[in-house]
Amino acid sequence: MYTILSKEMLTPNICRMKVRAPRLASSAKPGQFLIVRADEKGERIPLTISDYDAAQGSVTIVTQQIGASSADIISFEEGEAFADVVGPLGLPSEFLTKSAEELSAQHYVFIAGGLGTAPVYPQVKWLHEHGAKVDVIIGARTKDLLIYTEELGAVCDNLHICTDDGSCGFHGVGTAKLEALVAAGEKFTQAVAIGPMIMMKFATLTCKKLGIPIVVSLNTLMVDGTGMCGACRVTVGGKTRFACVEGPEFDGYEVDFDEAMRRQGQYKAEELEEKEHHVCRIGRGK
Amino acid sequence: MANRIPRVPVREQDPKVRATNFEEVCYGYSREEAMLEASRCLHCKNPRCVGACPVNIQIPDFIERIAQGDIPGAAEVIARDSSLPAVCGRVCPQETQCEGSCILGVKGEAVAIGKLERFVGDEIADRSLGEQRPEVAGGRYGGGAPIKDANGAAVTGVEPPSKANGAAVTGVEPPSDANGAAVTATRVAIIGSGPAGLACASDLAKMGYDVTIFEALHKAGGVLEYGIPEFRLPKDKVLKPAIESVKALGVKIETNVIVGRTVTIDQLMDDEGFKAVFIGTGAGLPKFMGIPGENYNGVFSANEFLTRNNLMKAYRSDYMTPIHAGRKVCVVGGGNVAMDAARTALRLGAEVHIVYRRTETELPARREEVHHAKEEGIIFDLLTNPVEVLPDDKGWVRALKCVRMELGEPDESGRRSPVAIPGSEFEIDADTVIMALGTSPNPLIAKTTAGLETTRRGCLSAGPDGATTRPGIFAGGDAVTGAATVILAMGAGRAAAKAIDEYLKNS
Ligand SMILES: Cc1cc2nc3c(=O)[nH]c(=O)nc-3n(C[C@H](O)[C@H](O)[C@H](O)COP(=O)(O)OP(=O)(O)OC[C@H]3O[C@@H](n4cnc5c(N)ncnc54)[C@H](O)[C@@H]3O)c2cc1C
Ligand code: SF4
Ligand code: FES
């Protein structure tokens, strides 16, 4: 039983849940994701793992209400259980293979956008615990939409907050902040961007300009998450790759973002239709 | 003479009607029809059908029981060699196996062996849903019959596994419980819940082992669940009872466990006490052609299309998973997977073309599926091979560019390979392209388990009894053979169960 151990709303439409999944919790690593199927009729929704606790047998997921399926996940309350939670899926972050010596020579900069801020957390925490220097740039549209600022603040060297409307921290997008930091003399050895596809595209363009290697975590469409369907195909370095098994993290320089964004919208028309069908279920009184 | 009766036709849903629904196409025989059809069998002294059956079901024997009206008896005969008659009766390529060799087929029409097998499977499943379940379950799975053959020293002889199981003695391991109260059975892990895994699990459970199946998806059944559509293999009517009867033997099924990611084989053996492992993970990885344009929107693997439709029930408006069938679909390939994808797209409202590079004679799909597809209005573009997917200005499929093919001279194997006719390029308008080009095994387990060797084609190396290159680990089904058939997978699962039993008794 994938029972929801705790639930809290981080913003009016972003929700954090701790879910019981002992096998998953004991094998999860930073960079990996999982798939939730809320109930019998639900979709299989890939979500990045935002934290895991092997001792408690729990994993943390953060969901934003965008469509009918995410609304469905959020409609679950503490004590209720999801039908299915499976993972960990995908490859762990590449830095997990680095030695302590290599890590201590690195200065990472994470560029997190919106919901992508949550999965940045286990990565930053891991790097911090293993002696790497880490800066984190969090971007959100406005102050009320910022998440994970405290958690990240506790595990990184420098936290930079950016809002599009200037309501908190740097006034502007995360990539502008990155440029400003580099202009001020920061020497980042590796960037990692997690967030909306468009944001990762621009983070990559900026990093290319600044000569910083960048890893991006691709949130493609997925069904099984095990390499069985190919819904998650992306072109990386001119070759078709399955994001669920060969990713989700790839070298940003090599990713065909325009194709990835186009492919992400493949079921837009059907989803609109679905939404009409399912409005009724969103506020279901469970 | 019995053989003067023509083959008893089987009732089917009207093609026009069924093209718009997902209900089963074929209704199957009634008892009277089955008995009449059974009476056609000549009971050959050297039955060719038996030799042509991959698991050598004693076909004339079970047919004779049907003719006598003894359906449980017929089920018992089949159960000696097959644990999935309702499934195999529906999906086996009978025309190249039993029925293809039936002596009656030389001059006339073969006995409808598949339909008779299905009839028996359905009858027994119907009954086993009723009260007298335990007794029938025993009959269905052949009771001790196949187990007795396993190495003479009948394992179950010590103490047949009780229904409650868990407490069954295998004779392999002495009671280990400190206070001597409970006796633990030896644990065996099965990876994958397709026909190979299910068959292996049920045989091992009957021998008294404590069996757990680990399945990556949220539902058991393998291809039977996610690949083969409802209109060919009804899930609630056929697959569910088959899985329930495996569970009734005490087999535990743990879904949502991806072995190699959620847990490794070594962890299962070292930390969780599994003494042997059977890998029945199938051949689930889709192939693409490698032609330009395959990543445009509207190009799908048949696996994605069918998984959305079958496992995720996208065809039902009360399920949330979306599916895109478009208006005009090209399905590339000619096997069962291609037929299933094509007929699914048709039912979702599209005009559907099968694009296949050889001729109709070479179509690898079951003949019945080709026949049904044609009846339903699927258009066959044969001797046609795609060379490029062409997009519209938004990056969606607009057309499939193809070349015409002709069959060349036979090669050493006698097979005539198709060759492209130069300058014959043309376009088929389409907004959806579904690639059904075959599948290969998932490398995950081989990659995460030291000592497991694979062949050049990415299949696990295993002997005829399923033994892999690592002691205690066995494998069978599509994971070993590459994409094949349900009956072969089932047979491999059962052969491995025997081998696992022998291995555990000798180790
Ligand atoms: C669309 C389609 C139509 C077909 N039609 C026919 C037909 O008409 N007749 C016929 O005889 N054959 C048909 N086949 C082929 C047939 O279904 C297969 O040969 C057969 O199912 C193979 O059985 P299996 O048990 O080896 O594997 P599968 O049925 O593939 O089952 C393997 C299972 O293992 C699971 N798994 C994989 N990796 C892992 C892992 N790491 N950890 C845990 N679980 C894992 C998978 O999720 C799956 O459930 C068809 C196949 C397809 C795809
Ligand atoms: S070959 Fe045909 S006629 Fe002969 S035993 Fe088999 S089914 Fe009967
Ligand atoms: S999600 Fe199906 S192959 Fe990646």
Side-chain angles (χ1 to χ4, degrees):
Chain A
M1 285 284 275
Y2 307 96
T3 310
I4 295 149
L5 304 174
S6 66
K7 173 184 178 182
E8 68 194 291
M9 298 303 293
L10 300 179
T11 76
N13 69 354
I14 296 182
C15 168
R16 171 159 65 189
M17 288 168 165
K18 214 176 233 196
V19 185
R20 205 181 128 70
R23 281 194 187 278
L24 207 176
S26 61
S27 42
K29 302 229 166 54
Q32 292 185 298
F33 63 99
L34 51 73
I35 283 182
V36 175
R37 197 179 66 124
D39 54 31
E40 168 59 26
K41 292 181 178 174
E43 260 185 280
R44 291 172 64 97
I45 306 286
L47 298 169
T48 321
I49 300 171
S50 299
D51 206 357
Y52 46 89
D53 182 339
Q56 194 192 30
S58 72
V59 289
T60 302
I61 54 170
V62 176
T63 332
Q64 181 169 23
Q65 181 174 335
I66 347 177
S69 288
S70 48
D72 217 22
I73 290 181
I74 293 180
S75 75
F76 277 71
E77 299 298 339
E78 207 172 291
E80 294 184 319
F82 292 130
D84 303 288
V85 178
V86 61
L89 298 159
L91 299 173
S93 300
E94 204 219 327
F95 55 70
L96 266 85
T97 60
K98 288 198 178 358
S99 67
E101 205 170 79
E102 286 172 290
L103 287 170
S104 64
Q106 298 282 327
H107 189 177
Y108 281 85
V109 58
F110 281 78
I111 308 149
L115 194 66
T117 314
V120 157
Y121 175 68
Q123 300 202 15
V124 174
K125 185 167 80 169
W126 191 95
L127 284 167
H128 181 73
E129 283 166 1
H130 289 78
K133 190 172 178 200
V134 189
D135 275 31
V136 177
I137 302 172
I138 306 182
R141 214 168 63 244
T142 183
K143 185 171 183 249
D144 295 343
L145 299 178
L146 285 164
I147 58 170
Y148 270 78
T149 49
E150 265 174 48
E151 291 89 338
L152 280 165
V155 293
C156 73
D157 294 271
N158 299 296
L159 180 68
H160 313 278
I161 291 175
C162 315
T163 49
D164 296 357
D165 64 358
S167 54
C168 183
F170 179 84
H171 187 173
V173 293
T175 44
K177 179 70 193 175
L178 175 64
E179 287 192 80
L181 288 169
V182 171
E186 289 286 4
K187 296 215 168 7
F188 299 115
T189 55
Q190 175 73 51
V192 179
I194 308 184
M197 207 69 95
I198 184 87
M199 172 281 219
M200 293 192 283
K201 173 182 171 175
F202 283 101
T204 299
L205 289 175
T206 306
C207 283
K208 248 186 199 166
K209 200 168 76 186
L210 301 172
I212 306 171
I214 180 168
V215 164
V216 295
S217 177
L218 299 182
N219 49 335
T220 61
L221 291 178
M222 289 189 191
V223 182
D224 57 296
T226 64
M228 205 181 87
C229 75
C232 61
R233 14 199 235 291
V234 285
T235 301
V236 181
K239 277 176 60 184
T240 295
R241 312 283 290 271
F242 284 17
C244 70
V245 285
E246 300 173 272
E249 299 189 338
F250 291 103
D251 175 353
Y253 287 13
E254 302 284 330
V255 173
D256 182 341
F257 284 103
D258 293 335
E259 179 190 277
M261 282 187 274
R262 190 194 69 222
R263 288 185 54 80
Q264 247 186 348
Q266 226 166 155
Y267 290 96
K268 277 271 159 62
E270 284 80 10
E271 263 153 22
L272 272 182
E273 225 174 84
E274 279 288 299
K275 215 169 181 172
E276 324 237 288
H277 275 297
H278 288 286
V279 217
C280 44
R281 300 178 59 225
I282 294 174
R284 90 212 139 100
K286 275 196 65 172
Chain B
M1 276 281 285
N3 61 348
R4 289 222 200 93
I5 310 168
R7 177 163 158 142
V8 178
V10 69
R11 287 160 300 118
E12 291 173 347
Q13 241 199 102
D14 180 80
K16 279 206 194 66
V17 177
R18 71 182 192 236
T20 62
N21 69 44
F22 278 88
E23 274 138 53
E24 190 171 18
V25 168
C26 173
Y27 294 125
Y29 282 150
S30 67
R31 192 181 168 88
E32 291 67 38
E33 288 166 335
M35 286 173 70
L36 184 61
E37 178 62 22
S39 74
R40 293 180 65 227
C41 175
L42 303 178
H43 305 287
C44 307
K45 263 224 187 69
N46 293 307
R48 312 199 321 181
C49 53
V50 176
C53 170
V55 297
N56 308 121
I57 293 176
Q58 296 305 305
I59 292 165
D61 288 1
F62 94 75
I63 291 183
E64 186 170 14
R65 308 281 168 102
I66 299 178
Q68 295 162 351
D70 174 14
I71 312 306
E76 249 164 70
V77 174
I78 297 177
R80 274 185 232 136
D81 303 293
S82 170
S83 49
L84 293 169
V87 173
C88 292
R90 284 174 167 83
V91 306
C92 268
Q94 287 92 4
E95 72 276 7
T96 60
Q97 300 179 1
C98 54
E99 292 181 27
S101 299
C102 172
I103 197 79
L104 285 183
V106 175
K107 281 200 182 130
E109 284 185 293
V111 174
I113 303 170
K115 296 286 179 279
L116 290 174
E117 184 190 13
R118 165 190 162 156
F119 168 75
V120 173
D122 285 354
E123 282 285 294
I124 288 307
D126 282 350
R127 279 174 210 216
S128 63
L129 291 176
E131 290 308 336
Q132 71 281 60
R133 172 131 189 58
E135 163 206 322
V136 178
R140 181 175 190 192
Y141 284 87
I147 299 151
K148 244 184 283 160
D149 309 348
N151 206 20
V155 205
T156 51
V158 187
E159 172 93 36
S162 66
K163 270 289 261 167
N165 208 294
V169 190
T170 62
V172 179
E173 240 187 17
S176 55
D177 204 64
N179 49 31
V183 185
T184 45
T186 306
R187 300 188 83 188
V188 181
I190 310 282
I191 308 171
S193 62
L198 289 173
C200 187
S202 60
D203 277 11
L204 286 168
K206 276 181 275 169
M207 295 175 199
Y209 291 99
D210 179 359
V211 183
T212 305
I213 300 181
F214 296 97
E215 167 56 51
L217 294 171
H218 58 260
K219 246 188 184 161
V223 169
L224 308 183
E225 174 63 42
Y226 77 75
I228 303 181
E230 180 76 18
F231 55 79
R232 213 147 67 78
L233 186 70
K235 309 299 165 212
D236 282 350
K237 182 178 163 202
V238 179
L239 184 56
K240 213 169 163 190
I243 292 170
E244 286 307 317
S245 63
V246 174
K247 284 195 198 161
L249 293 166
V251 172
K252 282 156 275 184
I253 302 184
E254 216 184 298
T255 51
N256 297 324
V257 177
I258 302 168
V259 176
R261 287 254 196 271
T262 316
V263 66
T264 62
I265 288 189
D266 289 299
Q267 285 170 329
L268 289 175
M269 297 184 89
D270 299 345
D271 306 343
E272 300 193 28
F274 289 98
K275 299 287 179 246
V277 174
F278 173 76
I279 306 172
T281 47
L285 296 199
K287 289 193 182 113
F288 287 88
M289 292 187 81
I291 57 174
E294 272 184 310
N295 286 349
Y296 285 123
N297 286 12
V299 183
F300 307 103
S301 75
N303 261 12
E304 173 179 355
F305 190 72
L306 290 170
T307 302
R308 284 178 183 276
N309 197 71
N310 304 335
L311 178 72
M312 306 310 297
K313 304 229 183 315
Y315 68 93
R316 285 178 50 171
S317 66
D318 55 338
Y319 281 70
M320 311 199 50
T321 301
I323 191 162
H324 177 89
R327 285 172 299 102
K328 199 168 161 189
V329 179
C330 284
V331 177
V332 183
N336 287 321
V337 185
M339 297 305 142
D340 285 346
R343 296 168 68 201
T344 297
L346 180 98
R347 282 161 171 74
L348 294 171
E351 172 190 317
V352 185
H353 293 240
I354 290 266
V355 177
Y356 179 61
R357 63 196 181 120
R358 299 172 192 261
T359 71
E360 179 161 350
T361 345
E362 287 89 21
L363 281 170
R366 293 180 77 224
R367 201 187 301 147
E368 191 180 14
E369 308 313 326
V370 176
H371 170 71
H372 283 158
K374 282 190 179 164
E375 277 186 343
E376 289 163 12
I378 304 276
I379 300 155
F380 284 74
D381 294 331
L382 301 168
L383 288 170
T384 304
N385 203 28
V387 291
E388 185 175 357
V389 181
L390 302 171
D392 66 11
D393 54 2
K394 297 207 177 67
W396 277 84
V397 175
R398 171 181 69 75
L400 188 62
K401 187 172 163 189
C402 299
V403 280
R404 302 220 185 268
M405 310 292 280
E406 58 189 352
L407 290 186
E409 292 303 312
D411 57 17
E412 310 91 70
S413 67
R415 215 166 126 97
R416 297 177 64 193
S417 295
V419 281
I421 302 173
S424 66
E425 283 84 358
F426 68 106
E427 291 178 13
I428 307 175
D429 286 339
D431 55 13
T432 305
V433 173
I434 299 173
M435 295 294 180
L437 307 155
T439 51
S440 59
N442 196 320
L444 180 63
I445 289 195
K447 268 195 209 158
T448 53
T449 314
L452 271 190
E453 275 168 33
T454 52
T455 65
R456 247 181 302 126
R457 289 165 56 232
C459 302
L460 289 170
S461 304
D465 65 348
T468 66
T469 47
R470 218 179 110 173
I473 303 184
F474 297 76
D478 284 6
V480 170
T481 55
T485 58
V486 172
I487 188 75
L488 286 171
M490 191 219 58
R494 300 196 72 192
K498 267 191 196 180
I500 289 172
D501 179 45
E502 271 161 44
Y503 165 81
L504 289 172
K505 280 191 303 190
N506 297 327
S507 66

